[in-house]
């Protein structure tokens, strides 16, 4: 068998032949030792061909294709040119660095590819001594090409549509979850701290946010009087509660605390209130971003559940690539693997459990509605990911389908088919979207302008009389000529 190794460099493609391949595979430790020495490594590999990239743009296109496991046309032509044909007597094996590109080469050209054994060590040696193995190539030019292509590749990956970036959604939902935990912890701390001074307030105002606001306003319970009752009513939004707080402050069993302690309690309560206010603003910001990035998914299952799905998947594109069965148990991976290990019942839902549809379904239908909802979420995420102009018409239709399915489980009314609902949604979009203007060709436009100017009798800015074109004489038939 003849062994060749493909090496993708920033400057182009290189093909090397491995000498005495069968012995090389057996003597892997000797190959590892020869990698560091160029004189010994030359006895292992020999350059067969090198195809440089013509432009930096071409290099970037090839790199993007290889990173996705797609065989570029340039690489296919290069391999067909320099690789000998594999036959019954002489078998050709190609060593590659990645199994994905190896599978594409095998599918397109029909050459057996390998990426294990001695191949990684040989590629490591080629990468280290590449400028010395290719004539007319230096270490400086090699590093320059790698740096330029690296910058271009990174810049292309970072580029995105500002209005439809899902990174902000991932960060927002992560911050929102963290704020919920922090606000809950801080609220419990302020309740415990202030209850030393005014223990009766906890039963009157059980809500964390309102408790922090009241504690910040009341401060010392002995200074609370009838004059502050109106301001207290505005905070509590209930006159009965405000009066109960005033009465409880007069007969409280709490201990007296110093002004310094009250000052610290007030500052801490202010921080808790400001965090809660910021949490509301962040929730509004998340809803706005979801309407821009994934309006159909947000309309179907809500802003926060949709954002958690995108965050758990890593991006909207990844979520769109998932099948509905994966979307259904997204967030319940531990329970799934535990069930598979113990041969128990697999989970019915993951993050979708927080949707209102699961709570409204009966105990027998929770699994069925979660499967149906995951199917609709998969459709909505794919529409949001690949549609050109964002719209929430599909989300509204999909939500109505889930509602109809819930009614079907309760009453037995047969819901509409998905194809009819999608056709109706497409018709609505066609009615609401403005008609696109057809672009006329420049040549056609010039002809129309020239025809218009001739019709007006205006040629080169001067008015001239339009003479009718001369009539063509009819050709006489042969019979008339003979007569």
């Amino acid at each position: 068998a003849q062994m060749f190794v493909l090496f993708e460099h920033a400057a182009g493609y290189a093909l090397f032949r491995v000498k005495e391949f069968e012995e090389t595979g057996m003597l892997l430790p000797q190959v590892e030792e020869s990698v560091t020495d160029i004189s010994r490594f030359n006895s292992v590999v020999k350059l067969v061909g090198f195809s440089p990239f013509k432009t930096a743009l071409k290099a970037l296109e090839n790199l993007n294709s290889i990173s996705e496991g797609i065989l570029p046309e340039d690489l296919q032509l290069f391999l067909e040119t320099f690789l000998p044909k594999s036959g019954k007597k002489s078998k050709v094996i190609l060593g590659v660095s990645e199994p994905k590109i190896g599978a594409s080469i095998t599918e397109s050209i029909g050459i057996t590819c390998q990426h294990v054994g001695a191949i990684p060590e040989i590629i490591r040696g080629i990468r280290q001594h590449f400028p010395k193995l290719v004539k007319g190539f230096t270490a400086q030019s090699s590093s320059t090409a790698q740096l330029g292509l690296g910058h271009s590749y990174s810049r292309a990956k970072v580029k995105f549509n500002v209005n439809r970036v899902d990174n902000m959604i991932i960060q927002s939902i992560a911050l929102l979850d963290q704020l919920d935990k922090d606000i809950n912890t801080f609220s419990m701390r302020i309740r415990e701290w202030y209850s030393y001074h005014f223990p009766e307030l906890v039963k009157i105002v059980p809500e964390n946010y309102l408790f922090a606001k009241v504690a910040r306003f009341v401060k010392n319970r002995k200074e609370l009087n009838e004059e502050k009752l109106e301001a207290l009513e505005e905070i509590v939004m209930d006159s009965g509660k405000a009066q109960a707080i005033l009465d409880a402050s007069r007969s409280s069993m709490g201990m007296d605390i110093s002004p310094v302690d009250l000052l610290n309690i007030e500052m801490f309560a202010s921080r808790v209130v400001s965090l809660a206010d910021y949490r509301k603003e962040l929730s509004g910001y998340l809803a706005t971003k979801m309407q821009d990035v994934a309006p159909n998914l947000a309309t179907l299952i809500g802003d926060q559940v949709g954002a958690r799905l995108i965050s758990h998947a890593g991006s909207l594109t990844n979520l769109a690539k998932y099948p509905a069965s994966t979307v259904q148990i997204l967030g319940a991976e531990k329970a799934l693997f535990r069930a598979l290990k113990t041969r128990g019942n697999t989970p019915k839902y993951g993050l979708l459990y927080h949707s209102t549809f699961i709570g409204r379904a009966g105990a027998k239908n929770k699994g069925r509605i979660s499967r149906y909802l995951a199917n609709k979420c998969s459709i909505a995420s794919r529409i949001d990911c690949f549609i050109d102009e964002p719209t929430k018409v599909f989300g509204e239709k999909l939500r109505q389908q889930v509602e109809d399915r819930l009614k079907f489980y309760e009453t037995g009314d047969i819901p509409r088919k998905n194809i009819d609902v999608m056709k109706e949604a497409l018709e609505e979009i066609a009615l609401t979207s403005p008609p696109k203007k057809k672009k006329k060709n420049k040549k056609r436009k010039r002809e129309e302008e020239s025809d218009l100017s001739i019709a007006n009798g205006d040629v080169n800015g001067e008015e001239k009389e339009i003479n009718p074109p001369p009539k063509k004489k009819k050709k006489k038939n042969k019979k008339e000529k003979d007569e």
Side-chain angles (χ1 to χ4, degrees):
Q2 294 181 355
M3 182 67 187
F4 295 87
V5 175
L6 173 67
F7 183 71
E8 306 97 355
H9 193 265
Y13 298 116
L15 189 68
F16 294 88
R17 181 180 177 182
V18 182
K19 301 174 185 177
E20 301 174 355
F21 164 60
E22 293 179 359
E23 294 181 6
T24 304
M26 296 292 291
L27 304 172
L28 184 58
Q30 285 79 350
V31 174
E32 292 177 359
E33 292 174 4
S34 66
V35 164
T36 55
D37 190 3
I38 182 62
S39 59
R40 293 176 64 185
F41 192 69
N42 275 327
S43 63
V44 179
V45 296
K46 182 184 177 182
L47 181 67
V48 176
F50 178 68
S51 174
F53 295 124
K54 294 179 181 179
T55 59
L57 184 62
K58 202 73 177 175
L60 181 61
E61 289 176 1
N62 281 266
L63 178 61
N64 286 327
S65 300
I66 289 171
S67 64
E68 294 173 5
I70 301 168
L71 181 64
E73 294 180 3
D74 297 343
L75 180 56
Q76 185 175 349
L77 182 63
F78 172 71
L79 292 175
E80 288 173 352
T81 305
F82 288 98
L83 273 178
K85 292 184 178 180
S86 182
K88 293 182 180 179
K89 294 181 180 180
S90 61
K91 189 179 179 182
V92 177
I93 300 172
L94 181 64
V96 293
S97 57
E98 290 290 335
K100 288 183 180 180
I101 193 67
S104 299
I105 291 170
T106 305
E107 187 180 350
S108 301
I109 304 175
I111 295 170
T112 306
C113 295
Q114 287 185 6
H115 64 281
V116 293
I119 303 300
E121 293 299 326
I122 294 170
I123 291 175
R124 185 166 69 91
I126 293 170
R127 187 183 296 110
Q128 186 173 351
H129 304 294
F130 186 75
K132 297 176 183 178
L133 293 171
V134 180
K135 291 182 180 179
F137 213 63
T138 61
Q140 185 178 0
S141 59
S142 174
S143 62
T144 304
Q146 287 175 338
L147 186 64
L149 183 60
H151 285 168
S152 301
Y153 181 73
S154 301
R155 198 178 297 114
K157 285 291 180 185
V158 168
K159 280 184 180 178
F160 51 82
N161 185 358
V162 178
N163 297 321
R164 300 189 65 185
V165 56
D166 51 5
N167 294 330
M168 303 303 160
I169 290 175
I170 295 170
Q171 296 297 328
S172 299
I173 193 65
L175 180 57
L176 202 64
D177 292 339
Q178 188 65 43
L179 279 174
D180 286 337
K181 292 178 183 177
D182 292 345
I183 290 169
N184 189 31
T185 307
F186 293 158
S187 298
M188 295 305 293
R189 179 63 54 203
I190 192 70
R191 285 157 71 100
E192 185 179 351
W193 196 359
Y194 192 66
S195 292
Y196 288 124
H197 177 61
F198 194 0
E200 293 81 7
L201 185 62
V202 177
K203 292 182 179 180
I204 301 170
V205 186
E207 297 88 0
N208 292 331
Y209 180 66
L210 271 179
F211 185 89
K213 290 185 77 173
V214 171
R216 185 180 62 173
F217 174 76
V218 173
K219 298 174 190 174
N220 192 349
R221 59 180 170 76
K222 292 183 179 180
E223 295 178 1
L224 189 64
N225 49 32
E226 296 288 343
E227 296 177 359
K228 295 182 179 179
L229 186 61
E230 188 177 349
L232 188 61
E233 284 180 12
E234 292 179 3
I235 295 171
V236 182
M237 302 295 292
D238 188 354
S239 59
K241 276 188 179 181
Q243 189 63 43
I245 292 168
L246 182 61
D247 296 340
S249 66
R250 290 171 180 169
S251 60
S252 177
M253 298 294 292
M255 60 180 284
D256 295 334
I257 54 177
S258 64
V260 178
D261 297 331
L262 281 172
L263 182 63
N264 280 281
I265 291 173
E266 183 190 356
M267 289 173 64
F268 186 51
S270 301
R271 290 295 176 90
V272 174
V273 171
S274 62
L275 275 176
D277 292 336
Y278 174 64
R279 198 256 179 216
K280 290 180 183 177
E281 293 177 8
L282 187 65
S283 181
Y285 166 74
L286 179 64
T288 307
K289 291 301 292 183
M290 281 295 291
Q291 289 300 324
D292 293 338
V293 177
N296 294 300
L297 188 64
T299 307
L300 177 61
I301 56 171
D303 302 320
Q304 294 194 15
V305 181
R308 284 191 176 91
L309 286 175
I310 293 171
S311 177
H312 202 81
S315 66
L316 181 62
T317 308
N318 291 347
L319 183 64
K321 291 177 182 177
Y322 285 163
S325 56
T326 307
V327 175
Q328 181 182 352
I329 59 165
L330 207 63
E333 289 84 1
K334 287 184 180 179
L336 174 66
F337 292 126
R338 186 171 60 249
L340 293 174
K341 188 177 179 181
T342 58
R343 296 183 181 180
N345 294 328
T346 55
K348 297 177 183 178
Y349 29 65
L351 292 169
L352 289 179
Y353 180 75
H354 299 287
S355 175
T356 55
F357 296 113
I358 307 295
R360 288 164 55 191
K364 296 180 180 180
N365 300 323
K366 283 185 185 295
R368 292 200 288 177
I369 199 66
S370 66
R371 185 167 60 249
Y372 188 80
L373 182 61
N375 186 12
K376 298 306 172 187
C377 288
S378 183
I379 294 171
S381 61
R382 288 167 189 174
I383 292 170
D384 288 329
C385 183
F386 301 110
I387 199 168
D388 294 329
E389 296 179 1
T391 177
K392 60 179 183 180
V393 175
F394 291 102
E396 292 170 355
K397 297 294 180 183
L398 293 171
R399 186 178 180 85
Q400 187 59 43
Q401 277 189 291
V402 183
E403 296 278 359
D404 294 342
R405 182 54 61 104
L406 278 172
K407 288 181 183 177
F408 168 70
Y409 291 146
E410 292 174 2
T411 61
D413 296 337
I414 298 172
R416 297 170 63 193
K417 291 184 179 180
N418 188 57
I419 187 168
D420 298 332
V421 176
M422 291 296 106
K423 281 181 181 178
E424 186 179 337
L426 288 170
E427 288 173 1
E428 282 188 21
I429 291 171
L431 290 172
T432 54
S433 60
K436 294 182 180 179
K437 294 181 180 179
K438 294 181 179 179
K439 294 182 180 179
K440 295 180 180 179
N441 296 332
K442 290 183 179 179
K443 190 175 180 181
R444 177 78 177 171
K445 194 174 181 181
R446 287 173 186 170
E447 287 177 1
E448 287 180 0
E449 288 176 356
S450 62
D451 293 343
L452 186 63
S453 62
I454 291 168
N456 293 333
D458 185 11
V459 181
N460 295 329
E462 297 177 3
E463 291 185 0
K464 295 185 179 180
E465 293 181 0
I466 303 170
N467 297 322
K471 293 180 180 180
K472 292 182 180 179
K473 294 180 180 180
K474 292 182 180 180
K475 291 182 180 180
K476 294 181 180 180
N477 297 332
K478 289 183 179 181
K479 290 181 180 181
E480 291 177 358
K481 286 182 181 179
D482 294 338
E483 289 174 359

